Amino acid sequence: MLTQIYNGKILIPGGRWVNGGSVVMDGSAIAEIYSHSRIMEGIGKSVNAGGGYILPGGIDLHVHGGGGRDFMEATDEAFKTAVMAHRRHGTTSMFPTLASSPLDTIRQAAAVCSRMVDDPYSGVLGLHLEGPYFSLKMAGGQMPDIIRIPSPMEYIPLVEEFPCIRRWDAAPELPGADDFA
């Protein structure tokens, strides 16, 4: 179904603004952007933005959870609840983030994330792992008993099994960090 959002200030690629314009959506995708606010024929639904802003959704590259849930829970329910909480506030895509975690938690979260990445409507772009490959001196709020040096015997099988792992933070000064990168 086509939806027209009209009478708004639209942020378009390149950081330019179209004042008094309209956006035509085909489902959840932008089909057209117009510099006018005439209500168009053949549109299923029209929404008056009342001169407000019409912006593309936000992409969150580092998010630990939402809606009272944490991605560290590594369950379908926790992931879906957190994603929907962010959706309600304009984030359309994200990389769920785990703090340094035991391997079992990483595997469970990666399995959930894989299913969500396979769903084109989930908005989940991939999994972001913080550590556990950090320096103990610079680990901040990470759990110190989880911190360790990168081990190819550990991370290679994970990345091969779960291509949804798209971002993985590590301290560059650690032994083996060059090979990890």
Side-chain angles (χ1 to χ4, degrees), residues 7-30:
N7 187 25
K9 298 174 189 134
I10 305 165
L11 179 63
I12 62 172
R16 295 188 352 249
W17 290 91
V18 173
N19 291 312
S22 61
V23 175
V24 174
M25 304 288 298
D26 187 355
S28 63
I30 296 172

Side-chain angles (χ1 to χ4, degrees), residues 82-135:
V83 167
M84 290 311 297
H86 286 274
R87 278 262 170 96
R88 286 190 296 275
H89 298 284
T91 302
T92 57
S93 301
M94 69 183 64
F95 285 87
T97 303
L98 301 186
S100 293
S101 305
L103 287 178
D104 288 344
T105 302
I106 293 172
R107 277 192 181 87
Q108 291 170 343
V112 173
C113 189
S114 292
R115 291 189 291 276
M116 295 194 80
V117 166
D118 288 343
D119 175 357
Y121 299 103
S122 76
V124 172
L125 301 175
L127 190 61
H128 173 205
L129 301 174
E130 288 183 324
Y133 311 133
F134 289 140
S135 164

Side-chain angles (χ1 to χ4, degrees), residues 31 49 167:
R167 302 183 64 224

Side-chain angles (χ1 to χ4, degrees), residues 4-106:
Q4 180 184 9
I5 305 170
Y6 64 95
N7 187 25
K9 298 174 189 134
I10 305 165
L11 179 63
I12 62 172
R16 295 188 352 249
W17 290 91
V18 173
N19 291 312
S22 61
V23 175
V24 174
M25 304 288 298
D26 187 355
S28 63
I30 296 172
E32 294 288 340
I33 299 172
Y34 296 98
S35 59
H36 63 78
S37 284
R38 292 185 301 277
I39 297 175
M40 303 174 71
E41 292 186 32
I43 301 291
K45 179 179 177 184
S46 296
V47 177
N48 186 343
Y53 295 102
I54 302 172
L55 305 168
I59 300 171
D60 199 331
L61 300 176
H62 184 124
V63 57
H64 287 277
R69 302 306 294 265
D70 192 306
F71 294 120
M72 296 276 293
E73 295 175 56
T75 66
D76 288 283
E77 182 182 338
F79 268 66
K80 288 177 184 175
T81 299
V83 167
M84 290 311 297
H86 286 274
R87 278 262 170 96
R88 286 190 296 275
H89 298 284
T91 302
T92 57
S93 301
M94 69 183 64
F95 285 87
T97 303
L98 301 186
S100 293
S101 305
L103 287 178
D104 288 344
T105 302
I106 293 172

